[in-house]
Every structure is written in structure tokens, then in C-alpha cells.
Amino acid sequence: MNPITEGPVLPSFINFAFPLMLTSLMMQSYTIADGLILGNLVNERALGAVNSISPIIDLLGLIQIGLSGGCSICISHLTGSGEHRRMHQVILQMRTVVVGISLLALLLGVLGADAVLSLTHTPPEIYDGAKAYLQLVCIGIPFSSIYQLQSGIMRGMGDSKRPLGAITISTFTNIGLDLLLVGFFTLGIIGAAVATVASQIFSCVYLYFKLKKRLQAEGSEYFSGSFSLRSQVDILLHSFSRSEKASDIHEIVNLGIPQMLQSSFTSIGKIILQSLTNSFGAFAVIGVAASYKIDSILIIPMIGISMSISVFTGQNMGAGKIQRVRESFRIAIRSSLAISAVMTLVLLCFNIPLLSLFGLSKASLTMGHYYILICLPGYFLFGLQFIFNGFLQGTKNTKISSGISILALAGRIVFAYSFAGMMGVNVLPAAELFSWVLGGILSGIACLRILRQDLKD
């Protein structure tokens, strides 16, 4: 029995969502670990250097993220409809496509580091550290891309526990190597980058064998046969041909293109916003970086619920069980509101102690404090937007979810640059709050339309 499409919805939803929350927690933990270790064992400039290049890393991985997201949606629908052989063929083709694209991204990141950092007006005091970190972390792009693909495939198949195992190994590897390389061998930013790449390799390899075992048990030929360069080129060319077997890849691309564009605009938008943040000085860069680190931990439950509603929606639509789609959506909404209330209370009461963990100067601590307080009123809509986007993706309406996210980001950029002269550094959190309100309202309207018109019982 597939618990996602059969049986009581609430227990199944919780059992599926909880490992995803833990997975997101582990993913953020090694990012937080980098920040805590660099901020306390090196200096706050190292923390600012690492944070300043995160939008660039996101941009280099945007195509792989889009394709992996499209693949996960397609896999969930195929799993719900019971088309396992067709699903296995999709996985085979997507593996080759993602590997090829990620290798190109690696070269672009290593060779174009100076150009991108100069374009974003990276402050001189963190420039060298940002460049070193960027070039080293790019080596891990193929491994992180394959991990994302494999994780998305397993989520689409209804398995949220194996990705949790992979990221748990990765997290402890990263933290252990951070302490060893940064703390004991005093390698600074270089040590943090090496730890990150090593952890990505471990998670990729672990999940590879777990996925291999599952697919072979289902009679898949995915992991047998030749893995020669010629065979992979043949698969790549076949994937984008006009043959019937390539139709699923075309659908994945159509589902993935909006997410690629969203990731692209998001990364470019973050770079534009990072440039504005940089213009206020290193204290602003570091204070915003620390607040983002805290934010990233507290929104983890939202990420888990968002991924869960996407899979539940996709599999139950594939199985033709629309009432289960509606019920899981209501569960996700109620969960989001409850979590947002807790998150708002925690940030209101403990933002300064949390920020202090990063070893910030008084100016950077003050910046982070006001950033969090200004954003607080919008956390309810921010949380709901995660749920709305997950639902829209599960119904294959990625154009709508991505379009709204792009529009909200554009509003944030326009707001930030329009009012920077008037509001000063406080324009940064105010612009983010504006984008949450805009995105939450628009995505909520889109979900209501789909529920009323497209998902009638």
C-alpha cells in the first residue's frame, strides 16, 4: 500500500513531512556551522565573504535545480499512476543531462570568479576570501547537482527517509571537517570550502547506492550497462529528440524552465540586492548574513511542509484522488499558521542572543537585530507562500508559482532601490517584507482559483 495515496491522510502527511523537515534542518546546519565556526574561530570578515558569494553559487546551479524540480514533479505523478517502467527511463535520461550541465557550471564558476565579484562590488576586505571560497566550492557543483536530482527522485517516489540519511552523513562530515580544518589546522575559509565539498561528495555517493538498490529491486536497468562517454552522449541526444520516449523529458523541461527562470532571476536579484547591501559597508553585509542564517533554520518546517504538499498533490492527482489533494492542502495550511506563530515568538524574544552566537561586532549585531524586527509582521504570509508554491508545483502549475515569485522579487528590488536614499540601511528588511506580502497574496489567489475551477470533485 502507498500511504500517500491510500489510508488516513494526516498520519501519512506527518510521517512524510517530518523526515523532510529534518533533512532541511541538516542542510541548514552545516551552513550555520560554517558561519559559527568562521565567525568565532576566524573573524566576521570570513563570515561576510562566504555569505556574499551564496547568490553566485545559486546562479551556477539554477539549471540543475530547475530540472531536478521538474523531475520530482513528473516522478510523483508517474508513481501515483503506477507507471514504473516509464519512470525508470526518465531517471536514466535525467542523470546524464544533469551531469553534463553541472560540469559546465563548474568551469564557469572557477574561470569567472573575478568578473562576478567585481560586478557585485564585493568589499575589498572580504574579496580575497570570497574568491577562494567560490572557486573551491564550485568543484562540488556536480556532486551537489546529482544529490539534488537523486533526492528529488526519491521524494517523488514517496521516500523522504533516504534523503535524510544522506544529508545527516553530509552534515556531520562537514561539521567535523570544519572543526578539524578551520579550528585545528587554522585553514580559515579554505578549510570551510574543502569541508563543504567533501560533505557534498559523501551525500551524493550515499544516495546513489540507496537509489540503485531501490530501482534494481523494481527491475530497473538504470544502473546496469555501459557508462562510457559515448553511451552518455547517445542518451543526451535521445533525451531531446522527438521520439515518444523523450516526451517525458520534454515535460520535465517544460516544468523545469519556469523554476530555472525563477532560480535565475532569484540569483540575479540577490546579486543586485547584495550589491546594494555591499554599498552600506561590511557591517551591513555581516549583519544581514547572520539574520539570514537564523532565518534559514526557523523556516525549515515550512520547507518540509512545502515539499510534502507538492508530492502529496502530485501522487494523488496521478491516482485521480482529488479529495485527498484538498485534505492534504488544508493540513498544510493549518500547520503553516501554527509554525509561523511559534517562529514569530522565538524571533521576537531571542533574536539578540541568537545573533550573538556569530561573534558579531556591535554595529553588525544592531543591523541584524533591526532586520529581524522589521520582517517579523510578515512571517505568516511568508510561511503560507511556501505552502502555496508547493501546491502549485504539485499541480504542474510551475509557470504560475515561478511567475509570482519573480514578480515578488522584482517588487523587492524596485522597493529597495527606490527608497534606499530615504530609509538608508533599513530599506533592506523593509523591501523583503514587501515582497513577502505581495507574493503571499498573489500565490494564495492562484491556489484558490485552481481549487475552485481545476480540482472539482
Side-chain angles (χ1 to χ4, degrees):
M1 183 184 79
N2 182 356
I4 292 179
T5 57
E6 300 176 42
V9 177
L10 180 59
S12 298
F13 191 90
I14 294 172
N15 289 336
F16 185 74
F18 189 66
L20 290 177
M21 294 180 192
L22 292 179
T23 298
S24 298
L25 175 62
M26 291 295 177
M27 290 179 68
Q28 293 297 337
S29 292
Y30 74 71
T31 302
I32 293 292
D34 279 343
L36 289 173
I37 292 170
L38 288 172
N40 287 282
L41 299 184
V42 186
N43 52 53
E44 66 174 20
R45 290 194 302 274
L47 173 63
V50 170
N51 185 75
S52 68
I53 60 94
S54 60
I56 302 170
I57 295 293
D58 292 342
L59 183 60
L60 290 171
L62 70 93
I63 297 178
Q64 304 91 294
I65 292 172
L67 289 175
S68 297
C71 184
S72 183
I73 295 169
C74 184
I75 293 296
S76 69
H77 281 258
L78 292 175
T79 300
S81 61
E83 299 177 80
H84 297 293
R85 185 173 182 82
R86 183 177 161 195
M87 177 183 70
H88 296 161
Q89 182 64 29
V90 168
I91 295 171
L92 169 65
Q93 293 172 313
M94 286 305 302
R95 178 193 65 182
T96 302
V97 171
V98 169
V99 167
I101 293 172
S102 63
L103 290 173
L104 291 176
L106 186 161
L107 292 175
L108 285 173
V110 172
L111 299 178
D114 277 315
V116 176
L117 292 173
S118 298
L119 185 64
T120 58
H121 307 293
T122 302
E125 58 265 42
I126 63 174
Y127 186 97
D128 290 339
K131 178 182 176 181
Y133 191 85
L134 173 59
Q135 291 181 322
L136 284 171
V137 167
C138 281
I139 296 172
I141 287 177
F143 300 100
S144 62
S145 298
I146 292 299
Y147 163 77
Q148 288 168 358
L149 175 65
Q150 294 174 150
S151 182
I153 289 168
M154 300 201 82
R155 286 197 308 271
M157 295 168 71
D159 186 346
S160 58
K161 294 180 180 178
R162 270 59 176 195
L164 172 60
I167 202 63
T168 300
I169 293 172
S170 175
T171 299
F172 282 107
T173 300
N174 184 79
I175 294 174
L177 288 176
D178 264 343
L179 292 172
L180 179 65
L181 300 177
V182 179
F184 184 76
F185 289 106
T186 64
L187 295 179
I189 285 178
I190 302 296
V194 171
T196 297
V197 173
S199 67
Q200 291 168 342
I201 294 172
F202 275 107
S203 62
C204 175
V205 172
Y206 173 86
L207 211 53
Y208 171 87
F209 285 107
K210 290 297 181 181
L211 183 58
K212 174 182 178 179
K213 182 177 180 180
R214 172 158 181 170
L215 294 178
Q216 287 183 335
E218 295 178 358
S220 172
E221 299 179 356
Y222 170 43
F223 291 97
S224 61
S226 172
F227 195 71
S228 66
L229 178 60
R230 180 177 178 179
S231 69
Q232 299 309 299
V233 172
D234 288 342
I235 292 172
L236 188 62
L237 293 175
H238 175 75
S239 297
F240 294 98
S241 69
R242 295 183 180 275
S243 67
E244 183 178 351
K245 288 184 178 180
S247 61
D248 289 317
I249 299 301
H250 296 159
E251 182 181 28
I252 288 172
V253 171
N254 288 332
L255 290 170
I257 283 177
Q259 296 184 72
M260 292 180 210
L261 290 175
Q262 178 187 340
S263 297
S264 175
F265 280 105
T266 298
S267 297
I268 293 171
K270 285 183 177 178
I271 291 172
I272 294 171
L273 289 166
Q274 186 66 49
S275 181
L276 178 63
T277 305
N278 292 345
S279 70
F280 289 111
F283 84 94
V285 175
I286 296 161
V288 171
S291 64
Y292 279 167
K293 299 285 187 186
I294 295 169
D295 218 29
S296 66
I297 287 289
L298 294 177
I299 65 171
I300 281 171
M302 304 298 189
I303 297 173
I305 296 171
S306 177
M307 290 189 289
S308 298
I309 190 61
S310 179
V311 173
F312 265 72
T313 300
Q315 285 204 22
N316 283 292
M317 286 186 68
K321 299 182 177 180
I322 302 304
Q323 186 55 39
R324 289 181 69 87
V325 173
R326 291 176 169 273
E327 187 175 350
S328 59
F329 182 66
R330 287 193 292 268
I331 291 170
I333 292 293
R334 290 194 291 266
S335 301
S336 172
L337 292 174
I339 292 167
S340 294
V342 174
M343 186 167 66
T344 300
L345 186 61
V346 169
L347 285 174
L348 181 62
C349 298
F350 301 107
N351 66 85
I352 291 180
L354 290 171
L355 288 166
S356 299
L357 294 174
F358 294 94
L360 305 182
S361 65
K362 184 177 180 180
S364 298
L365 180 64
T366 302
M367 177 68 225
H369 171 65
Y370 282 109
Y371 198 100
I372 289 173
L373 289 183
I374 292 172
C375 288
L376 271 184
Y379 271 103
F380 286 95
L381 274 175
F382 183 48
L384 287 174
Q385 189 176 2
F386 275 97
I387 310 308
F388 296 152
N389 284 342
F391 175 77
L392 290 169
Q393 290 168 6
T395 59
K396 295 188 176 181
N397 285 289
T398 56
K399 292 180 181 178
I400 296 176
S401 64
S402 297
I404 291 172
S405 296
I406 292 171
L407 182 61
L409 176 62
R412 178 182 174 186
I413 293 171
V414 171
F415 186 102
Y417 277 87
S418 297
F419 295 100
M422 181 190 306
M423 300 179 65
V425 74
N426 286 331
V427 79
L428 300 173
E432 183 156 10
L433 176 61
F434 174 78
S435 71
W436 292 354
V437 173
L438 179 62
I441 291 173
L442 292 178
S443 56
I445 292 171
C447 288
L448 287 175
R449 184 191 67 79
I450 291 170
L451 286 167
R452 290 175 179 175
Q453 299 180 13
D454 300 339
L455 294 180
K456 295 180 179 179
D457 294 327

